[in-house]
Amino acid sequence: MENLVFITDSGCDLSAEMLEELGVKVLPLTYTLNGTTYANNPDHREYDVSEFYKTIKSGAPVSTSAVNVGEFLDAFTEVLEEGKDFIYIGLSSGISATFQNANNAAEELKEKYPERKIAVIDSLCASMGEGLLVYLAVKKAEETEDFSEVVEYVSELRHNICHEFTVDDLGQLKRGGRISPAVAFVGSMLQIKPMLYVSPAGKLIPLDKVRGRRIALSKLAEITVSHCVDEDKTPIFISHGDCEDEALAVADIIKASMPGKKVVTNYIGPVIGAHSGFKTLAVFCVGNGRGESREK
């Protein structure tokens, strides 16, 4: 579909190379670290992503901000003025105001450009779960010239993008107010590694707690394999908080169980990483739904 532009935000955690290959336009969210604000660009040109994790591991204060309505208006208008349609796929509304800002901008522009096709979709996903949805949306658009068909496909598929992840840095969860200082202290002493998933509503839900990092990573791979749709055309994405070796090890476990399956790894960007912390490791796949079955 030559007249269609896909737009997303940097909460998708796709690499700059993959975004360029897919031809996707990306708007950066921002984060403030030690009092300085940076754009969360996919190439991390303003602040090295590995250095970011070293800095927050030391306890440096960090906060994040959504893409604002004005930024969306500018980006969307640029596409529409070129006489093109667009589909925006955004970070889950369950964890960010970014999608709502995009929706507000789109509603304003639909009146100004009634002849253009505009769709704004809440991915209900985060990190490379959002990225996987964007990737598959682009691939779908290569198969059809029907705008509505692509929108319907993405709207249905988002409910089947499974997210499972484990968190290593309990201190970061404590600083974010997600667990109490007492729980963080005891968990760290006992080497407790929380495991979580993203619900159908796009919110973070506790899944399990295990003793030790190795067990957590092994279980993460096991859960993913059990829920993943075994089709070569649907890759598995893995994102990590500066623990690439472990991400590649989990990828190897998955590929041993699912020969031929494509697995792509990349960093969890600073905006998501500000909340998940150092050495978070997340796996995303197309499954047969997400929800209570994750607790089995």
Side-chain angles (χ1 to χ4, degrees), residues 12-268:
C12 72
D13 286 341
L14 293 180
S15 68
E17 293 78 13
M18 179 171 282
L19 287 163
E20 182 178 359
E21 178 184 332
L22 295 172
V24 175
K25 183 181 181 68
V26 60
L27 280 71
L29 290 90
T30 58
Y31 61 98
T32 301
L33 181 66
N34 281 328
T36 301
T37 299
Y38 304 93
N40 185 177
N41 293 299
D43 61 3
H44 309 295
R45 58 183 176 269
E46 292 192 8
Y47 198 94
D48 179 75
V49 66
S50 183
E51 188 63 31
F52 166 82
Y53 280 106
K54 291 181 176 66
T55 304
I56 65 167
K57 184 182 179 183
S58 70
V62 59
S63 61
T64 60
S65 299
V67 181
N68 63 46
V69 174
E71 290 169 321
F72 277 118
L73 283 171
D74 290 344
F76 292 168
T77 299
E78 181 179 352
V79 172
L80 296 170
E81 284 293 319
E82 293 175 353
K84 296 182 178 180
D85 306 322
F86 73 81
I87 296 174
Y88 167 76
I89 301 173
L91 183 60
S92 172
S93 61
I95 60 175
S96 174
T98 297
F99 170 75
Q100 187 56 56
N101 291 342
N103 193 55
N104 290 342
E107 288 302 312
E108 180 177 333
L109 293 172
K110 284 177 182 178
E111 297 181 5
K112 187 176 179 180
Y113 298 90
E115 75 284 2
R116 297 264 56 90
K117 295 175 182 177
I118 297 172
V120 177
I121 303 172
D122 182 355
S123 72
L124 301 176
C125 300
S127 190
M128 288 183 80
E130 178 188 355
L132 180 56
L133 187 62
V134 170
Y135 173 90
L136 294 173
V138 173
K139 297 303 178 183
K140 180 65 176 179
E142 293 174 355
E143 301 173 358
T144 179
E145 292 296 320
D146 190 328
F147 182 90
S148 298
E149 184 180 344
V150 176
V151 172
E152 182 179 358
Y153 170 81
V154 175
S155 298
E156 292 180 359
L157 181 64
R158 60 183 175 164
H159 300 293
N160 287 21
I161 302 293
C162 301
H163 303 51
E164 272 84 31
F165 62 102
T166 185
V167 175
D168 188 66
D169 186 358
L170 293 176
Q172 192 67 22
L173 288 178
K174 179 193 72 174
R175 287 188 287 274
R178 298 188 183 275
I179 60 174
S180 70
V183 169
F185 176 76
V186 173
S188 296
M189 290 291 291
L190 297 177
Q191 285 295 297
I192 297 297
K193 305 301 177 185
M195 301 185 69
L196 305 94
Y197 71 96
V198 175
S199 75
K203 297 184 179 182
L204 305 184
I205 305 294
L207 171 63
D208 199 358
K209 297 176 183 177
V210 298
R211 292 282 295 274
R213 178 74 168 179
R214 182 176 299 178
I215 295 174
L217 298 182
S218 178
K219 185 167 184 178
L220 191 61
E222 177 187 337
I223 292 172
T224 300
V225 170
S226 70
H227 289 298
C228 186
V229 175
D230 191 12
E231 297 180 17
D232 290 345
K233 67 179 181 180
T234 56
I236 291 174
F237 283 5
I238 301 176
S239 60
H240 63 89
D242 203 25
C243 52
E244 184 177 24
D245 288 349
E246 290 180 323
L248 294 174
V250 171
D252 286 342
I253 296 172
I254 292 171
K255 287 188 284 187
S257 297
M258 306 180 75
K261 178 67 78 172
K262 180 180 180 181
V263 181
V264 177
T265 65
N266 195 37
Y267 272 94
I268 297 172

